[in-house]
């Protein structure tokens, strides 16, 4: 099983002037094994998402950095990614493992978004390999989730 670094960079190709895979290759090459990437490009067609994920996996793996694909176990497996990142209201971790196994990837890491301490603890109990807790600080995209949890939530969740 792949070790996931403590820093996970989430992609947004719309913020870049260079191709995303080129940017990831440069970042991974300068920080070998020190961070992971989560491919989160929700506006792409399945085919374009798969092609981008394959490029990102190749670029990140040259720098010994793992890759998680947002919400799509099938694309994660087809792209050769190290894991999948599930939304809080998405598949249960056990179901995700069952699906990954049926696709030939018993080793696929399962990450889970959580938005409360209780949800983070539940994800840990369910066997998540990676738990994302947030939002920690205010962010326009997460305003519907209510007040940010604050940095103390991270400390509390890791006790």
């Amino acid at each position: 099983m792949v070790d996931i670094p403590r820093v996970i960079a989430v992609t947004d190709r719309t913020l870049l002037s260079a191709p995303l895979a080129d940017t990831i290759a440069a970042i991974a090459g300068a920080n070998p094994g020190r961070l992971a990437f989560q491919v989160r490009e929700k506006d792409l067609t399945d085919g374009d998402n798969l092609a981008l994920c394959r490029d990102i996996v190749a670029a990140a793996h040259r720098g010994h950095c793992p890759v998680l694909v947002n919400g799509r176990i099938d694309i994660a497996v087809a792209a050769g990614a190290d894991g999948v990142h599930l939304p809080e209201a998405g598949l249960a971790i056990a179901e995700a493992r069952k699906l990954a196994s049926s696709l030939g990837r018993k080793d696929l890491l399962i990450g889970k978004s959580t938005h409360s301490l209780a949800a983070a603890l539940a994800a840990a109990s369910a066997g998540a390999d990676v738990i994302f807790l947030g939002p920690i600080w205010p962010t326009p995209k997460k305003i519907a989730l209510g007040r940010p949890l604050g940095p103390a939530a991270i400390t509390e969740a890791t006790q």
Side-chain angles (χ1 to χ4, degrees):
M1 182 151 308
V2 172
D3 286 328
I4 293 291
R6 295 177 71 107
V7 176
I8 300 174
V10 180
T11 68
D12 185 344
R13 73 189 192 294
T14 65
L15 299 175
L16 302 173
S17 57
L20 181 55
D22 292 349
T23 302
I24 286 178
I27 294 168
N31 300 281
R34 295 192 359 229
L35 69 154
F37 295 95
Q38 177 189 333
V39 183
R40 187 177 189 267
E41 304 292 336
K42 293 182 175 185
D43 64 324
L44 296 176
T45 65
D46 290 352
D48 288 343
N49 193 14
L50 176 57
L52 180 65
C53 287
R54 283 181 171 151
D55 289 346
I56 289 171
V57 166
H61 283 181
R62 281 192 300 276
H64 308 287
C65 295
V67 177
L68 302 170
V69 173
N70 200 69
R72 295 293 302 268
I73 295 170
D74 56 340
I75 290 177
V77 169
D82 304 284
V84 65
H85 171 85
L86 302 173
E88 186 172 58
L91 282 177
I93 293 163
E95 288 299 318
R97 286 203 193 286
K98 184 176 175 182
L99 179 55
S101 182
S102 75
L103 295 172
R105 286 293 305 275
K106 291 182 180 181
D107 64 335
L108 193 73
L109 296 170
I110 307 295
K112 187 80 166 175
S113 271
T114 63
H115 306 297
S116 68
L117 177 60
L121 296 175
S125 292
D129 298 304
V130 183
I131 300 169
F132 298 77
L133 176 62
I136 300 302
W137 292 279
T139 174
K141 290 187 177 183
K142 301 292 183 183
I143 204 156
L145 297 173
R147 293 178 44 129
L149 302 173
I154 297 170
T155 303
E156 193 173 353
T158 58
Q159 298 290 329

